[in-house]
mmCIF file of all heavy atoms in Angstrom:
data_model
loop_
_atom_site.group_PDB
_atom_site.id
_atom_site.type_symbol
_atom_site.label_atom_id
_atom_site.label_comp_id
_atom_site.label_asym_id
_atom_site.label_seq_id
_atom_site.Cartn_x
_atom_site.Cartn_y
_atom_site.Cartn_z
ATOM 1 N N VAL A 66 13.156 31.037 16.868
ATOM 2 C CA VAL A 66 14.567 31.201 17.176
ATOM 3 C C VAL A 66 14.692 32.268 18.242
ATOM 4 O O VAL A 66 14.054 33.305 18.181
ATOM 5 C CB VAL A 66 15.359 31.606 15.911
ATOM 6 C CG1 VAL A 66 16.805 31.851 16.236
ATOM 7 C CG2 VAL A 66 15.221 30.540 14.844
ATOM 8 N N ALA A 67 15.511 32.016 19.228
ATOM 9 C CA ALA A 67 15.699 32.979 20.314
ATOM 10 C C ALA A 67 16.185 34.310 19.757
ATOM 11 O O ALA A 67 17.016 34.355 18.858
ATOM 12 C CB ALA A 67 16.711 32.435 21.316
ATOM 13 N N PRO A 68 15.663 35.417 20.272
ATOM 14 C CA PRO A 68 16.083 36.743 19.787
ATOM 15 C C PRO A 68 17.592 36.939 19.839
ATOM 16 O O PRO A 68 18.169 37.562 18.964
ATOM 17 C CB PRO A 68 15.365 37.706 20.739
ATOM 18 C CG PRO A 68 14.184 36.947 21.207
ATOM 19 C CD PRO A 68 14.613 35.512 21.279
ATOM 20 N N LYS A 69 18.255 36.380 20.844
ATOM 21 C CA LYS A 69 19.704 36.524 20.954
ATOM 22 C C LYS A 69 20.400 35.929 19.734
ATOM 23 O O LYS A 69 21.345 36.504 19.202
ATOM 24 C CB LYS A 69 20.172 35.825 22.236
ATOM 25 C CG LYS A 69 21.641 35.939 22.507
ATOM 26 C CD LYS A 69 21.962 35.272 23.835
ATOM 27 C CE LYS A 69 23.430 35.284 24.123
ATOM 28 N NZ LYS A 69 23.759 34.577 25.359
ATOM 29 N N ILE A 70 19.926 34.771 19.272
ATOM 30 C CA ILE A 70 20.501 34.131 18.100
ATOM 31 C C ILE A 70 20.260 34.986 16.858
ATOM 32 O O ILE A 70 21.137 35.161 16.027
ATOM 33 C CB ILE A 70 19.901 32.721 17.895
ATOM 34 C CG1 ILE A 70 20.157 31.834 19.118
ATOM 35 C CG2 ILE A 70 20.415 32.077 16.634
ATOM 36 C CD1 ILE A 70 21.609 31.586 19.426
ATOM 37 N N MET A 71 19.048 35.537 16.733
ATOM 38 C CA MET A 71 18.733 36.380 15.593
ATOM 39 C C MET A 71 19.618 37.627 15.572
ATOM 40 O O MET A 71 20.097 38.029 14.524
ATOM 41 C CB MET A 71 17.255 36.785 15.620
ATOM 42 C CG MET A 71 16.306 35.629 15.417
ATOM 43 S SD MET A 71 16.524 34.821 13.828
ATOM 44 C CE MET A 71 15.896 36.070 12.737
ATOM 45 N N LEU A 72 19.838 38.218 16.727
ATOM 46 C CA LEU A 72 20.686 39.406 16.788
ATOM 47 C C LEU A 72 22.129 39.072 16.426
ATOM 48 O O LEU A 72 22.798 39.830 15.728
ATOM 49 C CB LEU A 72 20.614 40.041 18.179
ATOM 50 C CG LEU A 72 19.267 40.668 18.531
ATOM 51 C CD1 LEU A 72 19.259 41.123 19.990
ATOM 52 C CD2 LEU A 72 18.944 41.820 17.601
ATOM 53 N N ARG A 73 22.606 37.924 16.886
ATOM 54 C CA ARG A 73 23.969 37.505 16.549
ATOM 55 C C ARG A 73 24.091 37.296 15.047
ATOM 56 O O ARG A 73 25.067 37.731 14.429
ATOM 57 C CB ARG A 73 24.325 36.223 17.302
ATOM 58 C CG ARG A 73 25.756 35.815 17.097
ATOM 59 C CD ARG A 73 26.207 34.651 17.928
ATOM 60 N NE ARG A 73 25.146 33.936 18.613
ATOM 61 C CZ ARG A 73 25.228 32.653 18.937
ATOM 62 N NH1 ARG A 73 26.292 31.964 18.660
ATOM 63 N NH2 ARG A 73 24.244 32.057 19.573
ATOM 64 N N ALA A 74 23.099 36.655 14.436
ATOM 65 C CA ALA A 74 23.113 36.427 12.995
ATOM 66 C C ALA A 74 23.093 37.750 12.242
ATOM 67 O O ALA A 74 23.808 37.931 11.252
ATOM 68 C CB ALA A 74 21.924 35.565 12.595
ATOM 69 N N ARG A 75 22.293 38.693 12.729
ATOM 70 C CA ARG A 75 22.216 40.003 12.087
ATOM 71 C C ARG A 75 23.554 40.708 12.153
ATOM 72 O O ARG A 75 24.036 41.264 11.173
ATOM 73 C CB ARG A 75 21.141 40.855 12.765
ATOM 74 C CG ARG A 75 20.967 42.227 12.096
ATOM 75 C CD ARG A 75 20.384 43.239 13.016
ATOM 76 N NE ARG A 75 21.292 43.419 14.151
ATOM 77 C CZ ARG A 75 20.988 44.087 15.250
ATOM 78 N NH1 ARG A 75 19.804 44.622 15.373
ATOM 79 N NH2 ARG A 75 21.856 44.224 16.222
ATOM 80 N N ASP A 76 24.204 40.652 13.319
ATOM 81 C CA ASP A 76 25.499 41.307 13.484
ATOM 82 C C ASP A 76 26.548 40.710 12.557
ATOM 83 O O ASP A 76 27.354 41.427 11.969
ATOM 84 C CB ASP A 76 25.957 41.223 14.936
ATOM 85 C CG ASP A 76 25.100 42.053 15.868
ATOM 86 O OD1 ASP A 76 24.343 42.925 15.377
ATOM 87 O OD2 ASP A 76 25.159 41.812 17.093
ATOM 88 N N VAL A 77 26.548 39.390 12.422
ATOM 89 C CA VAL A 77 27.502 38.736 11.516
ATOM 90 C C VAL A 77 27.233 39.174 10.083
ATOM 91 O O VAL A 77 28.152 39.523 9.348
ATOM 92 C CB VAL A 77 27.413 37.194 11.640
ATOM 93 C CG1 VAL A 77 28.164 36.511 10.515
ATOM 94 C CG2 VAL A 77 27.938 36.743 12.999
ATOM 95 N N ALA A 78 25.973 39.176 9.700
ATOM 96 C CA ALA A 78 25.615 39.567 8.337
ATOM 97 C C ALA A 78 25.997 41.012 8.060
ATOM 98 O O ALA A 78 26.545 41.327 7.007
ATOM 99 C CB ALA A 78 24.120 39.346 8.110
ATOM 100 N N LEU A 79 25.727 41.902 9.005
ATOM 101 C CA LEU A 79 26.051 43.316 8.814
ATOM 102 C C LEU A 79 27.556 43.552 8.803
ATOM 103 O O LEU A 79 28.036 44.437 8.097
ATOM 104 C CB LEU A 79 25.383 44.168 9.895
ATOM 105 C CG LEU A 79 23.862 44.256 9.799
ATOM 106 C CD1 LEU A 79 23.296 45.026 10.992
ATOM 107 C CD2 LEU A 79 23.428 44.875 8.488
ATOM 108 N N VAL A 92 20.406 35.458 7.920
ATOM 109 C CA VAL A 92 19.613 35.283 9.142
ATOM 110 C C VAL A 92 18.793 34.005 9.034
ATOM 111 O O VAL A 92 18.744 33.214 9.968
ATOM 112 C CB VAL A 92 18.727 36.513 9.394
ATOM 113 C CG1 VAL A 92 17.722 36.225 10.501
ATOM 114 C CG2 VAL A 92 19.593 37.711 9.748
#
Side-chain angles (χ1 to χ4, degrees):
V66 177
K69 182 177 176 183
I70 301 298
M71 294 299 290
L72 292 173
R73 185 173 11 153
R75 182 204 61 191
D76 292 344
V77 168
L79 291 175
V92 169

